[in-house]
Each structure stands twice: as structure tokens, then as C-alpha cells.
Amino acid sequence: MSVESVSLSRLKRSDLQVGRWSAPRRPPAIPYDFRATRATRAVRGLGTRAWLAVGASLALVSCIPSVRQQPPKPVTPAPVPHNAVSAGVKPAPVGVTSLIAPKAAAAPAPFRISCPSLVRRDDASGLTRPDDWRIACDAAANWADADAAGFFAAHFEPVEVGGGTSFATGYFEPEIAGSRYPAPGFDVPVYRKPSDLVEQDRAIAEATGTPRRGRLENGVVVPYYERAEIVNGALAGQGLEVAWAADEIHFFFLQIQGSGRLRAPDGTVVRIGYAGQNGRHYVGMGKLLKERGLVTDASMQGIVAWLRANPEEGRAIMNENLSYIFFQELTGPGPLGSLGRPVTGQVTVAADPAFVPLGAPVILDLDRPETDGLWIAQDTGGAIKGANRFDTFWGAGEYAKATAGGMTARGKAWILLPRGSLARLGADAATTAQR
């Protein structure tokens, strides 16, 4: 039915307008509230005193402080230990010295080699002083190797640094194709340490905000050339070549090992050892490749296989390791560790000198049985940083290559310090606390 056909008799008078009519209005959404009307009249009827009381009440309410939720306090990270003493030192558990015996016979000779450095060198770990080592070093000179376990038990006490949780990798002395002279197929230069590479005292470097190793530019030490710059010819034409390698990937890994042998086509061998480093940051290839999902096998063998399959990308990733190692030809015993003294396969470990006195005996008890027993810390490494981080040296040859290339081991480690060292450390700490 249309609006026009609605009967007027069904419309209320209130719905009519002058000269026209409209459809009935809808009821209001909210019914009229007579109680609200009465309340409104009551409020209007308040007197002046009542209004003043209401205002005072409201003012009092506004004075009550609101409770605000305090933001959580930022958590201050624990300070990173800068040496062994700051990491915490305590006696090793009873029975640790029983781990010495199985490999003890090979350890006295490397320890004797380290003694001249131990009795003269400042110990960055804070654990010992040069004089602490004199009694043990004097005794080692005439002690029979057959009773090596007795020697280490008599003159040393095992200590645990920073909880003792250890991680170890491996390195070896590789042999790669090379030549003393440039020749077709031998075009990767092996550089000696450049004369413009300088090293300044650590304290001066930190105070001036300059690199510890670098080159002088207008009297200021600036960063030395990084790997990519050197590979691309920054040192070419200066007569720095000790020899030439045939393969850039093999030479890259020889640099990581820090020493090696170059075998020429005529069968002659040139032995090269560490002479210096450009001062730039070391970046581990395995870590990079795994983080980017490029490899699942981060052993040396797995990394080499990937580099062979991806030569251009591989070359770029190798250059992300800014560190570059310089070499010297070795004609005597070797290879040489960072003490400048020969290292010994299956006895020498590389360690961080801020946490282990270089030359000190170390006991390892890891989840790779071939690593267990006594080692001598005679070397360092760009990736070997922090308490109980070690790199085990396996010598030369195929066994050494296979063992070191796949070595990752975890467990516990302890350092052998000259007897009385722990008591002196405790006394020194007590004296410092009283100041």
C-alpha cells in the first residue's frame, strides 16, 4: 500500500501538519526518563554551600597522585672478562692430574723449548710472573722424560679458569704446490713481512684510538691494507715475494694454518712460517658459509669443495676475511709458533694469551678422545679468543690434515701453573680488596 492511500481516519491529529501530512514518527530510541528529570531538578535546587562542598571534594580527588607503572630497569650485561684473573680462577677438581700420564712423555721437550720465554715474558693472563716459572724450568733441564708425569705432578698445580668449559679446533702444517721462483702455473705470491708494517704498544694504540698494527701516514698509524687490497696488487713490485703458490684456495688455507710447505715440481721443498699479520680482523669462513646457508659441512674439506664449485662468489667471500698472513722461509726446526719457537705436532696448542700463559702446560678432557691429555700452549691464532678456547696442532701429513680439518671438540680444560701460584693470586686479591 502506498503512503497516499493511507486512510486519514488512522492518523492522529498530532501527525497532521498545516496543508500536508506525514507518516507517523518512530518512537524515540531511548524512552523518556522521569527519574532523570527529578534528579536534574534536585541538582538545580542545590544551594551555594552544597556546591562548594562538591567542588572541594572534586579538588581533593584531583590531588591524589595516580599510580604509574614504572618501566622495567634495563638489565646491565655482565662485564666481559679481559683476562684469566677477571674470568675467575679456582683449584681444579681432585683427580684431574690423572689425565696427565697418557701423553706426558712427549711434553717435557716442548716445555723446555718454551722456558726461555716463560721466565722473561710478561704474562697477559695475570696468572703468573716470570720468576714463578724458574724452579720448574730449572728442574725440567735435567728431569728424565721417562718420568714426565712425575715432573708435572711435582712442580705444577691444576687450576680452572672461567668455569673450565672448553672448545677446541685443529690446525696442521699443510703441503701445497709451490715454487721458489715465479713460473707458469705458479702465480700466487707468498709475501714476506713488509717494512712499512709497524706495530705499536697496545696501551698507546688504545689511548690514541689507532690500530696496534698498521702503516704510518703523516706520522699517524692507520689500518694496513686488507686482504682484498693485497690480493689485488697493493704490495706488487716491491720484491717481497718469498715464493709462489700454484693455487689461491690452498694458499688461503695455508695462511689460516700459519705455516706450511711448498713442494716444487722438481721435488724440492720450501718451508715457510709465520712472520707477521696485517692487523686486520680475522673472519672464519665456515661460520660465514653456514650463517648464509651455503654449506652444511663446515669442515675444511667441505669449505674447499664449495669454493671450487663457486669460484667467483668464493673469491669474494675469502676476501671478507680481512686478515692476511706474511711468511718467512724456515731453515731450522719448525714450524714456529707465536713465541718464535718450534711447535710440536700432537703436543702444541694455540691459545689466547690473555687467558693462558704462553708456554704453560694445559690438560684437555674433550669429547674427541685423541685430544685428551697434556698439551703445551705455544701458539696463538686470529680466531682463538677467550677462556678455554684452544686450537690443537697435529703436525704434517695426511693424518694431520684429516684430523685437524674436521676437528671440533667440547669438554673441560685446566691450566697447570707453578706450585704456589694459586695461593699468591688469592693473597693478591685480598690485598687489592683491602685498599
Side-chain angles (χ1 to χ4, degrees):
M1 181 186 303
S2 67
V3 173
E4 286 79 7
S5 63
V6 177
S7 172
L8 288 175
S9 63
R10 296 172 58 186
L11 300 176
K12 296 180 181 179
R13 184 179 297 275
S14 60
D15 294 322
L16 297 176
Q17 298 177 0
V18 177
R20 58 183 302 180
W21 65 273
S22 62
R25 294 175 183 158
R26 294 180 180 177
I30 303 174
Y32 191 82
D33 191 346
F34 288 96
R35 291 173 299 175
T37 303
R38 287 195 294 271
T40 302
R41 288 198 298 266
V43 170
R44 287 175 180 171
L46 287 174
T48 302
R49 291 181 180 178
W51 277 111
L52 289 173
V54 170
S57 299
L58 292 174
L60 287 173
V61 170
S62 67
C63 292
I64 299 174
S66 60
V67 179
R68 294 182 181 178
Q69 180 131 15
Q70 295 296 325
K73 294 183 179 180
V75 178
T76 304
V80 177
H82 64 278
N83 68 3
V85 173
S86 64
V89 186
K90 65 180 182 180
V94 175
V96 164
T97 52
S98 64
L99 298 169
I100 293 175
K103 291 179 64 176
F111 177 73
R112 292 187 194 102
I113 290 172
S114 300
C115 273
S117 298
L118 283 167
V119 298
R120 290 200 308 266
R121 194 171 186 269
D122 288 336
D123 179 7
S125 75
L127 294 174
T128 64
R129 299 169 180 171
D131 284 345
D132 294 343
W133 297 95
R134 293 193 183 279
I135 294 176
C137 283
D138 289 346
N142 300 308
W143 201 286
D145 289 356
D147 186 27
F151 165 74
F152 288 106
H155 290 281
F156 296 92
E157 55 188 1
V159 302
E160 184 175 292
V161 173
T165 302
S166 181
F167 174 62
T169 48
Y171 71 113
F172 69 110
E173 184 184 21
E175 183 175 294
I176 66 175
S179 172
R180 188 183 297 275
Y181 308 103
F186 298 88
D187 53 6
V188 181
V190 179
Y191 289 124
R192 64 173 50 88
K193 183 179 176 182
S195 60
D196 65 342
L197 176 60
V198 298
E199 183 169 348
Q200 61 180 337
D201 182 77
R202 187 187 300 274
I204 294 175
E206 291 175 353
T208 58
T210 55
R212 191 175 182 196
R213 292 189 189 123
R215 55 192 176 89
L216 286 174
E217 196 172 273
N218 298 323
V220 178
V221 179
V222 299
Y224 203 74
Y225 303 113
E226 61 187 48
R227 170 176 292 279
E229 294 173 305
I230 296 172
V231 168
N232 291 325
L235 301 179
Q238 299 184 33
L240 296 173
E241 296 84 359
V242 174
W244 301 80
D247 186 281
E248 63 178 335
I249 295 175
H250 284 163
F251 181 59
F252 177 85
F253 280 94
L254 189 148
Q255 286 190 299
I256 292 175
Q257 305 305 318
S259 62
R261 305 177 184 189
L262 306 176
R263 184 171 292 277
D266 63 2
T268 58
V269 174
V270 178
R271 295 183 66 224
I272 56 175
Y274 178 92
Q277 190 256 3
N278 65 341
R280 295 298 195 119
H281 182 60
Y282 172 85
V283 178
M285 284 283 292
K287 182 180 179 182
L288 272 184
L289 293 174
K290 287 199 77 172
E291 286 177 349
R292 297 175 188 179
L294 298 174
V295 299
T296 54
D297 177 8
S299 68
M300 187 185 75
Q301 294 84 346
I303 294 170
V304 170
W306 187 89
L307 292 173
R308 296 284 185 215
N310 303 273
E312 293 303 319
E313 189 178 1
R315 190 172 290 111
I317 288 182
M318 284 194 291
N319 285 338
E320 290 189 46
N321 175 21
L322 307 184
S323 174
Y324 193 92
I325 304 299
F326 301 106
F327 293 94
Q328 58 185 324
E329 183 176 356
L330 301 178
T331 55
L336 302 180
S338 58
L339 289 175
R341 304 182 185 280
V343 294
T344 304
Q346 303 186 46
V347 180
T348 293
V349 289
D352 186 341
F355 294 88
V356 180
L358 285 187
V362 173
I363 300 173
L364 298 183
D365 184 19
L366 310 179
D367 57 9
R368 290 283 296 267
E370 61 267 49
T371 63
D372 291 349
L374 191 63
W375 298 77
I376 307 296
Q378 296 178 294
D379 208 356
T380 61
I384 314 305
K385 300 297 180 185
N388 307 304
R389 173 68 171 95
F390 297 102
D391 204 16
T392 52
F393 178 60
W394 294 91
E398 288 304 313
Y399 172 77
K401 178 180 179 181
T403 304
M407 176 58 65
T408 56
R410 300 179 186 276
K412 300 286 285 186
W414 300 274
I415 304 170
L416 293 182
L417 298 183
R419 286 196 173 277
S421 299
L422 198 57
R424 180 184 58 75
L425 287 170
D428 289 349
T431 301
T432 302
Q434 292 173 0
R435 290 175 182 172

